[in-house]
Amino acid sequence: MSDTPFGFGLPPEEPEDGDEGRKKGGAGGQDGPNPFGFPGMGLPGGAGGQGGADNPFAAMFGSMNPNDLGAAFQQLGQMLSYEGGPVNWDMAKDIARQTVAQGTSDGVKDASVGVAEKSAVQEALRLADLWLDGVTSLPSGAGTAVAWSRAEWVEATLPVWKELVDPVAERVGAAMGGVVPEEMQAMAGPLLGMMRSMGGAMFGQQIGQAVGVLAGEVVGSTDIGLPLGPAGKAALLPLNIASFGKDLGVPSDEVRLYLALREAAHARLFAHVPWLRSHLFGAVEGYARGIKVDTSKLEDVVGQLDPSNPEQLQEALQGGMFQPQDTPEQKAALARLETALALVEGWVDAVVHEAAKPRLTSADAMRETMRRRRASGGPAEQTFATLIGLELRPRRLRDASRLWASLTDARGVDGRDGLWEHPDMLPTASDLDDPDGFVHREQLDFSEIDKMLGEAARGRAEGGAGGTDGSAGGTDGTDSADGPDGDEKK
């Protein structure tokens, strides 16, 4: 770390040639990046304006109109006064909304969803549910069909982003405090507080930008294989669906209907497999617990931290400070997550194709397009890789889809969908290597086991055999056998 106290750099030296030096490239006149990461705060000499060398405020903020200046000070105050959790989610939402308002790289701006578009989405999701009734035993999972603008997608999905990102952000915050020597932490209280505030703000800004970009590309609430929207709602984004289908050579009605089938299929799975959401989110959190922060990189950043340039910390976040630990536990957590994502996406792929193939001429082409979009990662993978060091890519999507199709042929729809009754009944990563072996293997009936365990637990409770502590085989034993859905069944 730097010899300067707490790593704060000294102010730049005065140029020998005075004002001329400043004009040529001194601290007050050079072009440079936005110092605080806020819109409209360019350094003088660039797009922000001129004349910063003679005015210390202009040197910091450029030539801004009073409204912009007031907003900049307000945002700076919010950043330094933040005392919440590891992520400043208010800032994240503001940045996401600003990113959405700027439009996508192709120049398409967000817009409110019109009455005709809402009607078209509702009709597509209604028809999709009818088609799915014939290819899955899981009933409809969407009580409401909605059409969202990009801004509405941001508002609706932020609570789930919080659940996914906070565990890793917490680790980064702890690591930031850890780079200050223990003997100096008592004296560095104000500095640590400022670092936490800046860390929360920088994470919030990074997440907000990523979510805002993602809002310009997603077509529904389940694009990344996780339920990002509220329970019981199937949602599509008409503006993004139009952009998605623009160059496919497929009628827009068919594109909308195919994507509605995927959204409705995801909704059925997450609504009627009660343990699935916690299983996936638990796998993400389990993987996050095994991530270590590159403290040497973070220490370098903090050692050179310039209070007037907190973008350094943002650049460190963008550059990636996350390193998965190479341990058996971490590898197992990653394998569980990748397999679970592949099984979810493979099931959706299989049932949607079965529903669409007889009815849509574009079914094969749309299926291949969606497979490539998911398998290549796309925006969702980039977002998670940046934010939590994790790629949400169903690497074995095709293998899982083939296995679900084989199960349909061998056991029928009920036999295939019955595997979702318990996580221990699902195929494993090794089963994806040998699908035929899994398809023809005898499966345990977990419903009978659960029933027997429940009756045994009730018998002990009625006879007083277990006491209040469960005596090793009481309720705790039931939880252990039930797995992630134990709470749901009690």
Side-chain angles (χ1 to χ4, degrees):
M1 292 181 65
S2 167
D3 293 332
T4 314
F6 310 124
F8 276 45
L10 293 171
E13 296 182 3
E14 185 74 12
E16 292 182 2
D17 50 353
D19 289 346
E20 289 300 317
R22 280 193 290 268
K23 291 176 182 176
K24 291 177 183 178
Q30 65 184 5
D31 291 347
N34 177 330
F36 289 94
F38 299 133
M41 293 178 66
L43 285 174
Q50 313 241 348
D54 298 325
N55 185 332
F57 287 100
M60 182 176 289
F61 297 112
S63 56
M64 301 168 59
N65 65 49
N67 291 334
D68 289 340
L69 187 61
F73 274 117
Q74 183 180 17
Q75 286 188 316
L76 180 59
Q78 289 173 351
M79 182 179 77
L80 295 178
S81 64
Y82 176 69
E83 297 180 351
V87 178
N88 188 331
W89 286 102
D90 290 336
M91 178 172 286
K93 183 168 78 169
D94 290 344
I95 297 294
R97 293 293 298 261
Q98 291 170 17
T99 303
V100 165
Q102 291 169 4
T104 49
S105 58
D106 58 2
V108 178
K109 299 277 189 180
D110 192 24
S112 299
V113 180
V115 175
E117 290 173 317
K118 288 181 181 178
S119 178
V121 164
Q122 290 169 352
E123 177 61 22
L125 287 167
R126 183 194 66 80
L127 186 55
D129 256 338
L130 287 177
W131 289 3
L132 289 171
D133 283 340
V135 296
T136 175
S137 61
L138 298 179
S140 173
T144 309
V146 294
W148 283 339
S149 66
R150 294 166 178 169
E152 288 171 327
W153 182 91
V154 168
E155 294 280 353
T157 62
L158 270 179
V160 179
W161 289 113
K162 185 177 189 297
E163 188 176 347
L164 288 168
V165 174
D166 268 353
V168 176
E170 189 73 54
R171 294 180 66 82
V172 175
M176 288 178 67
V179 299
V180 177
E182 187 175 350
E183 63 273 13
M184 298 178 64
Q185 287 190 10
M187 294 185 298
L191 172 63
L192 292 175
M194 186 184 77
M195 287 174 63
R196 281 192 293 269
S197 296
M198 290 178 64
M202 292 300 111
F203 237 118
Q205 186 179 41
Q206 183 72 8
I207 291 166
Q209 186 175 12
V211 170
V213 171
L214 195 58
E217 303 187 25
V218 294
V219 294
S221 69
T222 55
D223 283 35
I224 65 172
L226 296 173
L228 295 179
K233 279 190 178 180
L236 294 176
L237 283 72
L239 185 62
N240 292 357
I241 290 175
S243 297
F244 171 81
K246 183 174 58 176
D247 300 321
L248 296 180
V250 176
S252 59
D253 288 349
E254 288 200 17
V255 173
R256 184 191 306 112
L257 189 47
Y258 190 88
L259 297 176
L261 282 166
R262 289 183 53 83
E263 179 76 5
H266 278 104
R268 288 180 183 232
L269 203 54
F270 288 116
H272 299 292
V273 182
W275 54 265
L276 182 57
R277 187 184 190 277
S278 61
H279 181 71
L280 286 167
F281 281 60
V284 172
E285 187 175 353
Y287 182 82
R289 282 197 300 268
I291 290 175
K292 63 180 180 180
V293 178
D294 186 351
T295 52
S296 62
K297 187 172 185 177
L298 183 58
E299 189 171 343
D300 288 342
V301 173
V302 174
Q304 302 171 25
L305 189 62
D306 178 355
S308 68
N309 188 15
E311 271 193 350
Q312 290 173 327
L313 185 56
Q314 182 183 355
E315 290 168 2
L317 290 173
Q318 290 174 327
M321 295 186 295
F322 309 114
Q323 297 176 343
Q325 293 186 6
D326 190 20
T327 63
E329 294 78 12
Q330 183 70 347
K331 291 177 179 177
L334 181 59
R336 281 196 304 272
L337 179 59
E338 290 184 342
T339 301
L341 286 171
L343 291 174
V344 168
E345 291 299 285
W347 183 88
V348 168
D349 178 79
V351 299
V352 165
H353 189 68
E354 192 176 350
K357 178 70 173 174
R359 298 177 175 95
L360 298 179
T361 57
S362 62
D364 289 331
M366 289 295 301
R367 183 188 206 186
E368 187 59 28
T369 298
M370 293 306 300
R371 280 181 166 185
R372 290 179 179 178
R373 177 181 166 98
R374 287 298 285 125
S376 63
E381 177 190 337
Q382 295 160 15
T383 298
F384 271 82
T386 299
L387 298 183
I388 61 175
L390 176 63
E391 296 178 353
L392 282 178
R393 184 191 300 183
R395 300 177 187 277
R396 307 196 65 181
L397 167 61
R398 294 176 189 269
D399 293 337
S401 182
R402 280 194 293 269
L403 187 146
W404 288 117
S406 297
L407 282 167
T408 307
D409 294 338
R411 304 184 188 180
V413 167
D414 290 342
R416 178 200 66 198
D417 293 347
L419 294 179
W420 290 106
E421 289 181 4
H422 197 284
D424 291 341
M425 296 175 68
L426 287 178
T428 63
S430 59
D431 292 324
L432 295 179
D433 295 328
D434 181 22
D436 289 337
F438 179 84
V439 167
H440 299 293
R441 185 189 310 157
E442 283 294 325
Q443 297 290 310
L444 292 174
D445 188 346
F446 278 82
S447 62
E448 288 301 316
I449 295 176
D450 288 344
K451 182 179 178 182
M452 288 188 292
L453 288 171
E455 290 173 351
R458 283 193 295 274
R460 283 194 298 271
E462 292 169 0
T468 54
D469 62 356
S471 298
T475 346
D476 293 340
T478 305
D479 285 347
S480 175
D482 282 348
D485 62 338
D487 291 339
E488 296 292 338
K489 294 186 177 182
K490 286 186 286 188

